[in-house]
Amino acid sequence: MKQKFNIEGMTCSACSARVERVVGKLPGVLNVNVNLLSNSMTVEYDEKNLTKSQIIKAVEDAGYGAQAAAESSSKPKEQKTNPLHDDIKAMSQRTIVSFAFLIPLMYLTMGHMIMLPIPHWLMGVENAVSFAFAQLLLTLPIVYVNRKYYKAGFKTLFHGSPNMDSLIAIGSGAAFVYGVFAIFRIGYGLGHGDLEIVLKYAGDLYFESAAMILTLITFGKFLEAKAKGKTSEAISKLISLAPKTATVMRDGAEIEIPIEDMAVGDIVIVKPGQRIPVDGVIVEGSSAVDQSALTGESIPVEKNVGDKVMSATINKTGFFKFKAEKVGDDTTLAQIIRLVEEASSSKAPIAKLADKISGVFVPIVIAIAAVSAALWLVLGQSFEFALSIGISVLVISCPCALGLATPVAIMVATGKGASNGILIKSAEALETLHGINVVVLDKTGTITEGKPAVTDIIAQASVGEDSLLEIAASMEKLSEHPLSEAIIEKANEKGISFKDVKEFDAISGRGIVGKIDGKEYVAGNLQLMHDKNIDVGAMQEVSDKLAQEGKTPLYFADDKSLLGIIAVADVIKPTSKQATEQFKAMGIDVVMLTGDNKKTAEAIKDKLHIDRVVAEVLPQDKEKEIRSLQDGGKKVAMIGDGINDAPALTRADVGIAIGAGTDVAIESADIVLIRNDLQDAASAIQLSKATIKNIKENLFWAFFYNTLGIPLAAGVFFTAFGLKLSPMFGAAAMSASSIFVVFNALRLKLFKPKGERGARP
């Protein structure tokens, strides 16, 4: 069973690593994934050995709160809002209160240094207690509104799994406690006339450090929350696309009902300008439908009776009725939302590495802080100096940036992919994709359109193209051969009318015969022409050339002579060549697998400059070819239609289903392309490379920052250069690093695939 839980109390990657570690040790747990951004956990477990309540108890014992997602949300999916909204609001209030008291506190403690006027009753040795007590009163509200750091920090510390909050709690708590201790010492000095003690402690109260640490970190977290809120915009926008009501036919009357009450089989009425509420098939009328929200196609698509329509797309011009086929969570929109949510909550291998590092990082930092403080005391420095060193190490080392480096980038990338019609099912697939060095392509429906079309009409001079097409279409209209549809469609395009055919007969494996206006005509392959003693010598060379190009030549003749040839082929999509060029530009080998004949496969290979083709393979043999490539040390991406290619899609390192996201494609592939366009696969690889580059940048700066910051905070450079980091500046630097990482990840929103949009016809 797979169950999602909402987790409370997590603030950094050390928290998520702790929860993941605790739950992962439970008997019966098959897989566990904790997401810091969404404060959620997905657990796959054996119901025979484990229950939801046991999982919740394990999380609570670790110092956090947990609740099954289904129980914790009473809102219907359609009303779902940004999950970080409440967090942003709370962080905003805390930030405002913190700054409201920090500003007068800083004025009081630092104002006299720049000759600002300070109330006389707070100045001088005789008013030292009032001066210190005023700072305490201004610090208390800041400590109170940010008490969450202390509750979570000390709770996890006592459970043996200190996290970022533990560092903040110890650092700011030590500064605050030292300030209270200083007040008692000032009182003692005044009571005993020891003004030296009074002056010493009045100048080193540390209340401003405690308040500044809490305020800056809260402000940094507020900016993080705002930035993280932007990463889920793609999901929010998708959810808002669905209309709230639909007009359906019930008992012969048009009624408007909530979308939740719709059922499969309902006849839905859609007027111009309305959004389509669910997936279905048009049964009456026609229109142009704007599918840009789901597929990115800028031009509305013509829809007629029998064509499928998708939820959340917009009816532009006509009026039509359609039969609902998928409602509720089964619609294309719902599947897209689910895939984006699953991908953004999943964890890439590179993120697991960061979690492991941060899990041991915090206790090491606490040890460094304690050792540094103790060492400076041994070296003869004052207690205040040693305390300042310890607090600075604790504060600057908070691993926020480390924990945010990967998940924010993953969430932005999956959201960006969704807006470009690329649905990434998992963070692992997104990461694996950047290292792909072989792309295996299915031919039919992937490289080609997936249906035959007329490519050439070669008519005898005495006949003419239109006359040939008229005879051909009239004959083929009665045929059940798959290639007949292509000729009929071509005739319809040209507005050619059909003639009546008498005495029609289909000759198996050869072609068809029939009479038009009393004259016999034959249509079929070369063998039929030979059987009817029709001389094709004049067009034999043209026919051979068409066959070499992967086209199927169909011969048309009357009872005496050849009239002409119509060539039919599964034509290559306009963007397939651009896609293969982009694969090769990225250093990726391109292999085509097809069940078609070798001649057709070779023709496509030559046109697209594909490295290798394997023709006449069965669906099950495609999986063997993928395995063979993997055994040779290659990382393989398989791109297919998700139906007959399912075994190969599953076997590949990354399976990419191309098309409108069929059920089989969603199940078997790691990535689903909404548009039926191979170029989107190249775009997906480009997005993966951009994401991994961004994550590596984030991790570098997070590690670089801590590597540089900890020695400075520990006072390593104090003896030689007099450099020492104030706890206040440590807090500012820590917050700045986290904000930098988040906003660096948000740069992925600017990602634009090469050749996208503009290269398309």
Side-chain angles (χ1 to χ4, degrees):
M1 179 179 177
K2 201 171 186 179
Q3 176 67 48
K4 187 176 181 180
F5 297 85
N6 290 335
I7 308 298
E8 297 174 359
M10 293 194 304
T11 56
C12 68
S13 58
C15 300
S16 58
R18 164 72 172 169
V19 173
E20 199 167 280
R21 190 165 57 249
V22 168
V23 175
K25 290 179 180 178
L26 294 174
V29 171
L30 305 175
N31 185 41
V32 57
N33 180 33
V34 179
N35 187 291
L36 177 63
L37 288 181
S38 58
N39 288 321
S40 65
M41 172 179 70
T42 304
V43 184
E44 191 176 346
Y45 63 97
D46 185 353
E47 292 179 277
K48 296 178 182 177
N49 298 325
L50 194 64
T51 64
K52 282 193 287 187
S53 58
Q54 288 175 312
I55 294 172
I56 291 171
K57 186 177 185 301
V59 175
E60 290 174 344
D61 289 345
Y64 305 90
Q67 197 173 18
E71 298 167 9
S72 61
S73 178
S74 58
K75 289 186 178 180
K77 194 169 187 177
E78 288 75 11
Q79 296 177 1
K80 188 175 179 181
T81 58
N82 190 327
L84 293 167
H85 178 75
D86 292 340
D87 188 29
I88 293 170
K89 186 178 179 181
M91 294 302 296
S92 173
Q93 292 172 344
R94 284 168 54 186
T95 302
I96 291 170
V97 171
S98 297
F99 273 109
F101 286 92
L102 178 67
I103 291 170
L105 175 62
M106 295 306 295
Y107 182 94
L108 184 62
T109 56
M110 306 291 184
H112 64 280
M113 296 180 183
I114 54 176
M115 308 304 291
L116 292 175
I118 304 294
H120 66 87
W121 48 272
L122 293 177
M123 295 299 292
V125 176
E126 65 278 9
N127 294 315
V129 171
S130 299
F131 178 69
F133 201 68
Q135 291 185 44
L136 172 64
L137 292 177
L138 289 169
T139 305
L140 281 174
I142 299 173
V143 171
Y144 178 77
V145 296
N146 295 299
R147 63 192 180 281
K148 183 179 178 182
Y149 294 124
Y150 298 102
K151 289 170 67 176
F154 287 119
K155 190 175 185 180
T156 54
L157 181 64
F158 296 146
H159 278 88
S161 57
N163 62 4
M164 187 201 75
D165 286 342
S166 302
L167 301 183
I168 297 169
I170 296 171
S172 63
F176 183 83
V177 170
Y178 179 81
V180 174
F181 167 74
I183 292 177
F184 281 101
R185 293 296 291 161
I186 291 170
Y188 175 87
L190 288 173
H192 291 76
D194 191 341
L195 297 183
E196 187 177 337
I197 291 178
V198 175
L199 288 171
K200 176 184 176 183
Y201 283 99
D204 288 314
L205 286 166
Y206 277 109
F207 284 123
E208 75 280 4
S209 291
M212 182 69 84
I213 289 167
L214 294 171
T215 302
L216 287 178
I217 288 171
T218 299
F219 180 60
K221 282 188 170 290
F222 167 67
L223 293 179
E224 286 171 22
K226 289 276 284 184
K228 286 188 283 185
K230 291 180 182 179
T231 65
S232 57
E233 282 177 1
I235 297 174
S236 300
K237 287 178 181 176
L238 284 170
I239 291 169
S240 67
L241 290 176
K244 300 295 182 285
T245 60
T247 304
V248 300
M249 294 294 294
R250 294 271 175 94
D251 300 324
E254 291 184 21
I255 60 169
E256 189 171 322
I257 61 172
I259 192 131
E260 296 86 4
D261 296 341
M262 290 193 67
V264 173
D266 274 340
I267 301 299
V268 188
I269 297 167
V270 185
K271 297 174 183 177
Q274 290 185 334
R275 286 192 184 273
I276 296 168
V278 294
D279 293 7
V281 175
I282 295 178
V283 295
E284 181 184 324
S286 62
S287 182
V289 176
D290 181 357
Q291 301 184 154
S292 59
L294 297 187
T295 67
E297 294 167 290
S298 56
I299 301 172
V301 179
E302 292 293 331
K303 299 285 185 178
N304 299 296
V305 173
D307 289 337
K308 291 188 175 184
V309 290
M310 294 181 289
S311 57
T313 56
I314 303 171
N315 178 26
K316 299 295 286 184
T317 54
F319 168 92
F320 64 85
K321 296 179 183 179
F322 74 92
K323 184 178 180 180
E325 287 191 334
K326 294 181 178 180
V327 300
D329 289 341
D330 294 327
T331 65
T332 302
L333 178 65
Q335 289 176 346
I336 291 172
I337 292 168
R338 187 174 70 251
L339 286 174
V340 174
E341 287 179 331
E342 286 177 358
S344 61
S345 65
S346 62
K347 189 168 292 181
I350 198 169
K352 293 176 182 177
L353 172 66
D355 284 349
K356 286 179 182 177
I357 293 171
S358 63
V360 298
F361 183 74
V362 175
I364 289 174
V365 165
I366 293 175
I368 291 173
V371 170
S372 299
L375 189 59
W376 281 112
L377 282 173
V378 171
L379 292 174
Q381 291 291 341
S382 67
F383 175 73
E384 292 82 1
F385 181 92
L387 179 65
S388 173
I389 290 289
I391 293 171
S392 295
V393 171
L394 290 170
V395 173
I396 200 171
S397 304
C398 295
C400 302
L402 187 62
L404 290 167
T406 302
V408 179
I410 292 291
M411 184 171 273
V412 175
T414 50
K416 185 66 179 178
S419 66
N420 282 276
I422 302 167
L423 302 184
I424 302 161
K425 289 178 67 176
S426 70
E428 187 170 358
L430 179 63
E431 180 177 341
T432 304
L433 196 58
H434 91 284
I436 292 298
N437 45 36
V438 177
V439 166
V440 177
L441 308 174
D442 174 44
K443 180 183 79 71
T444 306
T446 301
I447 293 175
T448 64
E449 294 287 358
K451 63 177 183 178
V454 172
T455 58
D456 303 88
I457 301 174
I458 301 99
Q460 298 283 17
S462 59
V463 179
E465 285 190 9
D466 287 352
S467 296
L468 174 62
L469 190 57
E470 181 184 49
I471 293 167
S474 299
M475 295 278 288
E476 297 290 354
K477 191 175 182 183
L478 301 177
S479 173
E480 295 180 353
H481 196 278
L483 299 183
S484 301
E485 292 181 11
I487 295 173
I488 295 166
E489 189 175 321
K490 188 68 175 179
N492 287 330
E493 274 180 28
K494 288 197 159 195
I496 292 173
S497 57
F498 299 87
K499 291 188 173 185
D500 290 333
V501 179
K502 306 292 185 182
E503 299 179 29
F504 177 84
D505 186 28
I507 303 170
S508 179
R510 297 283 194 272
I512 55 177
V513 296
K515 287 185 176 181
I516 299 175
D517 297 331
K519 188 175 184 179
E520 185 176 88
Y521 291 91
V522 293
N525 57 22
L526 185 61
Q527 187 62 49
L528 179 62
M529 297 299 112
H530 289 159
D531 292 346
K532 294 291 182 179
N533 297 316
I534 304 295
D535 181 16
V536 298
M539 288 195 175
Q540 187 65 58
E541 189 177 335
V542 173
S543 175
D544 290 343
K545 184 185 177 187
L546 291 170
Q548 287 173 1
E549 292 173 355
K551 300 170 183 176
T552 302
L554 300 174
Y555 298 85
F556 295 88
D558 57 19
D559 55 352
K560 295 179 181 178
S561 61
L562 184 69
L563 302 176
I565 295 174
I566 295 179
V568 177
D570 183 6
V571 296
I572 296 170
K573 294 176 186 175
T575 56
S576 290
K577 186 173 183 180
Q578 295 166 8
T580 54
E581 287 173 352
Q582 287 181 29
F583 289 139
K584 294 168 80 68
M586 290 186 280
I588 299 171
D589 294 333
V590 182
V591 177
M592 182 177 77
L593 297 183
T594 178
D596 212 336
N597 62 72
K598 289 184 180 179
K599 192 175 285 186
T600 301
E602 288 295 330
I604 291 176
K605 174 188 175 183
D606 293 339
K607 282 184 181 179
L608 301 185
H609 307 297
I610 292 172
D611 298 303
R612 186 166 70 93
V613 297
V614 182
E616 299 174 6
V617 294
L618 298 172
Q620 58 267 33
D621 295 330
K622 291 183 181 181
E623 187 269 345
K624 291 178 184 176
E625 183 65 28
I626 299 290
R627 192 188 307 166
S628 174
L629 287 166
Q630 290 173 328
D631 290 342
K634 301 291 187 181
K635 273 199 172 183
V636 184
M638 170 67 193
I639 307 174
D641 60 16
I643 300 172
N644 61 342
D645 297 314
L649 287 169
T650 305
R651 165 61 61 182
D653 294 284
V654 179
I656 302 175
I658 192 165
T662 62
D663 293 339
V664 177
I666 289 173
E667 289 301 321
S668 58
D670 302 300
I671 294 172
V672 179
L673 309 179
I674 293 298
R675 293 182 293 225
N676 196 15
D677 193 335
L678 186 58
Q679 193 166 330
D680 284 340
S683 299
I685 295 175
Q686 292 164 12
L687 177 62
S688 172
K689 289 180 179 292
T691 304
I692 297 305
K693 181 183 177 184
N694 189 281
I695 289 172
K696 287 179 178 178
E697 288 172 354
N698 289 345
L699 289 174
F700 169 79
W701 285 111
F703 280 115
F704 176 78
Y705 155 80
N706 282 316
T707 303
L708 185 66
I710 291 175
L712 182 62
V716 171
F717 306 110
F718 180 74
T719 304
F721 305 105
L723 293 176
K724 174 179 170 289
L725 193 68
S726 162
M728 287 185 292
F729 289 110
M734 190 281 291
S735 296
S737 72
S738 298
I739 295 165
F740 173 83
V741 162
V742 170
F743 280 94
N744 185 51
L746 286 173
R747 287 193 307 111
L748 285 170
K749 285 195 168 220
L750 304 175
F751 169 80
K752 288 185 179 179
K754 296 175 184 176
E756 183 76 4
R757 301 289 189 269
R760 294 184 178 170

